[in-house]
Amino acid sequence: MNDPASRIMARCVELRGISADPTAYSRHYLTAEHRAAATLVTGWMRAAGMAARLDAAGNVVGRYEGERPAAAALLLGSHLDTVRDGGTYDGQLGVVTAIEVVQALSDSGQRLGCAIEIYAFADEEGVRFSSGYIGSGLVACGETGVALNAHDAGGTTFAEALAAFGLNPARLAEARRRPEEALAYLELHIEQGPVLEAEGLAVGTVTSITGQSRLAATVAGVAGHAGTVPMTLRKDALAAAAEAILTVERVARSNPGVVGTVGIVGAGPGAVNVIPGQARFTVDLRSGIDARRQRALADVLTGFRTIAERRGVAITWDVRVDAPATPCDPHLMTLIDRACAAETGRAFRLPSGAGHDAAEMAALCPSAMIFLRCRDGISHNPAESITPEDAAAGLRTLARAVQMVAADPPRRG
Amino acid sequence: MNDPASRIMARCVELRGISADPTAYSRHYLTAEHRAAATLVTGWMRAAGMAARLDAAGNVVGRYEGERPAAAALLLGSHLDTVRDGGTYDGQLGVVTAIEVVQALSDSGQRLGCAIEIYAFADEEGVRFSSGYIGSGLVACGETGVALNAHDAGGTTFAEALAAFGLNPARLAEARRRPEEALAYLELHIEQGPVLEAEGLAVGTVTSITGQSRLAATVAGVAGHAGTVPMTLRKDALAAAAEAILTVERVARSNPGVVGTVGIVGAGPGAVNVIPGQARFTVDLRSGIDARRQRALADVLTGFRTIAERRGVAITWDVRVDAPATPCDPHLMTLIDRACAAETGRAFRLPSGAGHDAAEMAALCPSAMIFLRCRDGISHNPAESITPEDAAAGLRTLARAVQMVAADPPRRG
């Protein structure tokens, strides 16, 4: 286990053992599993020569000093929490790999022109309180979208959960860092998609963290007897919804850099021999470029209006999410391109279609991400998988990027 | 209440009062409500000058003799049972109107060249034992698709229910009639669809009782993260299902006399931010002409195969129902055309997209149906509605048809 890549793989598996459910990997904010994982990670940080502590939000923070004491830090990190029945590498890989970067510096006694800090964020997935990025949001902005009296599925409030964990709800904002303390934020994360695999590349440079629109749509038609209403007299809500679903797909396909998904559908009254009088479906539209997402959304809604008018049904929608994209820092992307090209022979850029702590951290300091190939693009699933060879490639790439950023940090505006 | 149309309307409402659920019209086979309705109808038949009895299946049968005793009978009828939370006229109207036809003959002392018998069938909807047409099936064939040990939702077997009702399970087949006893069968029924209303006609001639195919289909694609899988790499099961749904609609639209419906749809895993890896939907295809239904089904399945191949998903299906159509008797249709034209000025033919007792009775004797306009085509619903004027038109049309059939009965092959 002296090989760093093997240790990365083994530590991800060891973390996987800390689960609220022994058969479905689940570790959520401010739980006993959160505590156990934080303790384990704190020990790894200390073994790598770092000073490590739990911050006011429950994040683990490790610091490896640079050449000059109390220098501003290059921040590395990712998250320690999981979805329900999640995979082994989502989040964890970035934390564990960053520790290996520092371990190598420490082993060779090397100090950089800046300090390095590693954040193991406590809540990125947002399972417990239905709102993600609590850990990185508090670090970057001192704020979270979750009210102290919000409660989890068991009725425990956020404030009660913090107190039970030994944290002071009134002092949450103390997790916030000042911009002058942070040179930049770099995050290594599995891609959670199939692009790098399709390109035959272990690593790639993330260009932006997706913006997102989410709609809940409803179609109101007229229910009727499946045998007695002629086709020409129908106002079939599900047939209209089917056209709308294909409209979402068509618009996303014809707008490069946009993805569109209908994940939920239903029809009522819901009998084999009854023409649906109503249907409902969701829309999830994403792009790393807000203008493209907005144009795609406009195209989708124009399509919905056309379908409704032609079919004589009503299609209505609620915009549930309208979140802008976060572009990665251009200078950091250039450095990551070089770090990736040194590994794979070819710099490759791709957007992140999923949200990440890096999007929150961009409010604090220049931020960027390295994506690592995962098998079949599968994530948020026990089948999530990476190879030890890719783990080694990810470590080398992150280590190179750290050296490059330390030598040539982003200039602050 | 001396006006026959008013009496028809009032009797339908009176029958509606006999319900297992005071807030949702529900009267099922071999229940106390069945008994009460049968008793009421028996009384009405006797008041109309008929001999009335309960047969071995629980049907009420009334007989009005013709000029010669023990002559073969023209059978009239419809059913006394309802769906759950049903309408006031489905089935009941045909029974009550037939009684008024005889009432008028009786009032004027008229005897026809044949006897008239009225059947108030006990089970057409099939709610209690999940199989319809028990009443007319036993009369026509002496058989039913329901086994004596089949049980209802409460665990009571068919045999136990018969015995509790005072019927002998071993003597069910005695309900069967011999072909030489039956000249023809005529049924007046609400259309349960919007065609007559759209045509501005109170009554029309039914050409056939629909044949039906029902499928349960499943699409297997690949689930994935809605943000991270590019459009070109997706195998979205719901998008494929949406195409399939529109294929059903397109095929039905392009095949005259065919209707096609997808009434149930679902996608899994079923989250706004997950690409559906599986989808399921039902298909209901009907036509009065079997060859058209079979051709449409073949077109639909060809479409499914094309979609599956193009999208790289698997679409599989189970054929749950494949029931042929029952054409109405051509001679009876000609007579009904005349009876309708005398009422509305215009004979109009339309298929029945719903199943009816007449389809069972066609196995016994030449059978045909008259459809009566209902409001907005709504049926199987408390909103089911007809006008007293249309009830009067239906009565006059059925009375005319009875006279014509008695004078010119179908020849038997």
Side-chain angles (χ1 to χ4, degrees):
Chain A
M1 206 63 95
N2 285 327
D3 163 33
S6 300
R7 198 159 47 207
I8 287 170
M9 299 299 281
R11 284 180 171 177
C12 287
V13 171
E14 188 174 355
L15 280 167
R16 187 180 177 88
I18 305 172
S19 172
D21 178 342
T23 63
Y25 189 20
S26 304
R27 186 168 57 243
H28 309 314
Y29 190 34
L30 304 174
T31 61
E33 296 75 39
H34 173 183
R35 167 75 63 197
T39 301
L40 187 60
V41 166
T42 301
W44 293 338
M45 287 178 173
R46 288 178 181 157
M50 310 184 85
R53 63 186 173 91
L54 205 68
D55 77 1
N59 304 307
V60 184
V61 202
R63 182 173 169 98
Y64 182 75
E65 294 294 346
E67 292 163 352
R68 293 179 307 279
L74 166 55
L75 310 183
L76 309 178
S78 195
H79 60 94
L80 273 189
D81 65 318
T82 74
V83 295
R84 285 195 190 88
D85 201 12
T88 308
Y89 305 97
D90 178 1
Q92 330 301 314
L93 178 73
V95 173
V96 167
T97 303
I99 293 172
E100 288 299 333
V101 169
V102 173
Q103 183 79 55
L105 294 174
S106 175
D107 287 349
S108 64
Q110 193 185 356
R111 299 279 164 184
L112 302 179
C114 59
I116 298 178
E117 293 193 14
I118 299 177
Y119 269 94
F121 292 116
D123 177 86
E124 189 261 7
E125 304 287 3
V127 172
R128 184 165 184 187
F129 293 104
S130 299
S131 174
Y133 315 107
I134 296 177
S136 51
L138 285 165
V139 168
C141 310
E143 287 175 5
T144 163
V146 180
L148 286 173
N149 63 356
H151 53 77
D152 65 12
T156 303
T157 65
F158 184 24
E160 289 164 352
L162 285 164
F165 197 78
L167 297 173
N168 185 340
R171 301 178 69 172
L172 261 185
E174 292 180 10
R176 185 178 192 176
R177 299 300 293 269
R178 286 175 291 119
E180 57 272 28
E181 296 178 308
L183 279 181
Y185 174 76
L186 294 187
E187 181 168 355
L188 173 83
H189 201 284
I190 57 167
E191 181 198 334
Q192 306 184 274
V195 176
L196 290 173
E197 189 174 63
E199 294 284 334
L201 295 171
V203 289
T205 307
V206 177
T207 54
S208 65
I209 296 156
T210 191
Q212 201 175 137
S213 297
R214 286 191 188 173
L215 314 181
T218 305
V219 186
V222 179
H225 191 299
T228 58
V229 185
M231 298 309 291
T232 49
L233 296 177
R234 296 184 176 205
K235 294 180 194 298
D236 183 328
L238 178 56
E243 269 200 83
I245 290 166
L246 293 172
T247 298
V248 171
E249 187 188 50
R250 179 180 50 71
V251 167
R253 280 179 174 172
S254 61
N255 282 276
V258 174
V259 289
T261 306
V262 176
I264 300 175
V265 70
V272 59
N273 60 345
V274 180
I275 302 161
Q278 65 99 349
R280 61 199 174 283
F281 59 96
T282 57
V283 179
D284 179 308
L285 271 180
R286 305 188 192 199
S287 177
I289 300 167
D290 289 330
R292 288 192 191 170
R293 176 173 53 87
Q294 296 296 356
R295 190 179 61 196
L297 178 60
D299 287 353
V300 162
L301 297 181
T302 300
F304 288 3
R305 288 185 195 99
T306 305
I307 293 162
E309 188 168 344
R310 179 165 29 79
R311 289 180 171 270
V313 301
I315 306 183
T316 53
W317 54 84
D318 242 10
V319 177
R320 294 280 168 87
V321 172
D322 179 16
T326 306
C328 291
D329 179 75
H331 175 66
L332 293 175
M333 283 196 286
T334 303
L335 300 182
I336 291 173
D337 279 348
R338 284 185 211 145
C340 289
E343 184 63 39
T344 65
R346 176 158 73 99
F348 181 78
R349 292 187 170 194
L350 72 172
S352 171
H356 290 290
D357 289 308
E360 295 291 317
M361 294 300 280
L364 175 68
C365 60
S367 296
M369 294 187 75
I370 299 167
F371 265 174
L372 188 91
R373 170 169 55 193
C374 60
R375 193 176 67 198
D376 298 335
I378 294 170
S379 182
H380 284 191
N381 188 300
E384 191 180 275
S385 177
I386 67 169
T387 64
E389 293 72 26
D390 282 359
L395 171 58
R396 286 187 297 265
T397 306
L398 182 62
R400 261 182 229 110
V402 165
Q403 294 282 354
M404 290 174 184
V405 175
D408 183 14
R411 275 165 292 186
R412 305 296 288 273
Chain B
M1 205 65 95
N2 285 327
D3 162 35
S6 301
R7 197 157 49 207
I8 288 169
M9 299 299 280
R11 285 180 170 177
C12 287
V13 171
E14 188 174 356
L15 279 167
R16 186 179 179 89
I18 305 173
S19 172
D21 178 341
T23 64
Y25 190 21
S26 305
R27 186 167 57 242
H28 309 315
Y29 189 34
L30 303 174
T31 59
E33 296 76 40
H34 174 182
R35 169 75 62 196
T39 301
L40 187 60
V41 166
T42 301
W44 293 338
M45 287 178 173
R46 289 178 180 155
M50 310 184 84
R53 62 186 173 91
L54 206 67
D55 77 2
N59 304 309
V60 184
V61 202
R63 183 174 167 96
Y64 182 76
E65 295 292 347
E67 291 164 351
R68 294 178 306 279
L74 166 55
L75 309 184
L76 310 178
S78 195
H79 60 95
L80 274 189
D81 66 319
T82 74
V83 294
R84 285 194 190 88
D85 200 13
T88 308
Y89 305 97
D90 177 2
Q92 331 301 315
L93 178 75
V95 173
V96 168
T97 304
I99 292 171
E100 288 299 333
V101 169
V102 174
Q103 183 78 56
L105 294 174
S106 174
D107 287 350
S108 63
Q110 192 185 355
R111 298 281 166 185
L112 303 179
C114 60
I116 297 178
E117 292 194 14
I118 299 176
Y119 270 93
F121 293 114
D123 177 85
E124 190 262 6
E125 303 288 2
V127 172
R128 184 165 184 187
F129 294 104
S130 300
S131 175
Y133 315 108
I134 296 177
S136 51
L138 285 165
V139 169
C141 310
E143 287 174 6
T144 163
V146 180
L148 286 172
N149 63 358
H151 52 77
D152 65 12
T156 303
T157 66
F158 183 25
E160 289 165 352
L162 285 163
F165 197 80
L167 297 173
N168 185 339
R171 299 179 71 173
L172 262 186
E174 291 179 11
R176 184 178 193 174
R177 300 301 294 268
R178 286 176 291 117
E180 57 270 28
E181 295 177 310
L183 280 181
Y185 173 76
L186 294 187
E187 180 169 356
L188 173 82
H189 201 284
I190 58 166
E191 180 198 336
Q192 306 183 273
V195 176
L196 290 173
E197 190 175 61
E199 293 284 334
L201 294 170
V203 289
T205 307
V206 176
T207 55
S208 66
I209 295 155
T210 192
Q212 198 173 141
S213 297
R214 286 190 189 174
L215 313 182
T218 305
V219 186
V222 178
H225 191 299
T228 59
V229 185
M231 299 308 292
T232 49
L233 297 177
R234 297 184 175 205
K235 295 179 192 299
D236 183 330
L238 178 55
E243 269 200 83
I245 290 166
L246 293 173
T247 297
V248 172
E249 186 187 53
R250 178 181 50 75
V251 167
R253 281 180 174 172
S254 61
N255 282 276
V258 174
V259 289
T261 306
V262 176
I264 299 175
V265 71
V272 59
N273 59 345
V274 180
I275 301 162
Q278 64 99 351
R280 61 201 175 283
F281 59 95
T282 57
V283 179
D284 180 309
L285 272 180
R286 305 188 191 200
S287 176
I289 299 168
D290 290 330
R292 288 194 190 170
R293 177 173 52 87
Q294 296 296 357
R295 190 179 61 195
L297 178 60
D299 288 353
V300 163
L301 296 181
T302 299
F304 287 3
R305 288 185 196 98
T306 305
I307 293 163
E309 188 168 345
R310 180 163 31 77
R311 289 181 171 269
V313 301
I315 306 183
T316 53
W317 54 84
D318 241 10
V319 177
R320 295 278 170 87
V321 172
D322 178 17
T326 306
C328 290
D329 179 76
H331 175 67
L332 293 176
M333 283 196 286
T334 303
L335 300 183
I336 290 172
D337 279 347
R338 285 184 210 144
C340 288
E343 184 61 39
T344 64
R346 175 160 75 99
F348 181 79
R349 293 186 169 194
L350 72 171
S352 171
H356 291 290
D357 289 308
E360 295 291 317
M361 296 300 280
L364 175 70
C365 62
S367 296
M369 293 187 75
I370 300 166
F371 266 174
L372 189 91
R373 170 169 57 193
C374 61
R375 194 178 64 196
D376 298 334
I378 294 170
S379 183
H380 285 189
N381 187 299
E384 191 180 274
S385 177
I386 67 169
T387 65
E389 294 71 26
D390 282 359
L395 171 58
R396 287 188 297 265
T397 305
L398 181 63
R400 263 183 227 109
V402 165
Q403 294 283 354
M404 289 174 183
V405 175
D408 183 13
R411 277 165 289 186
R412 306 298 287 271

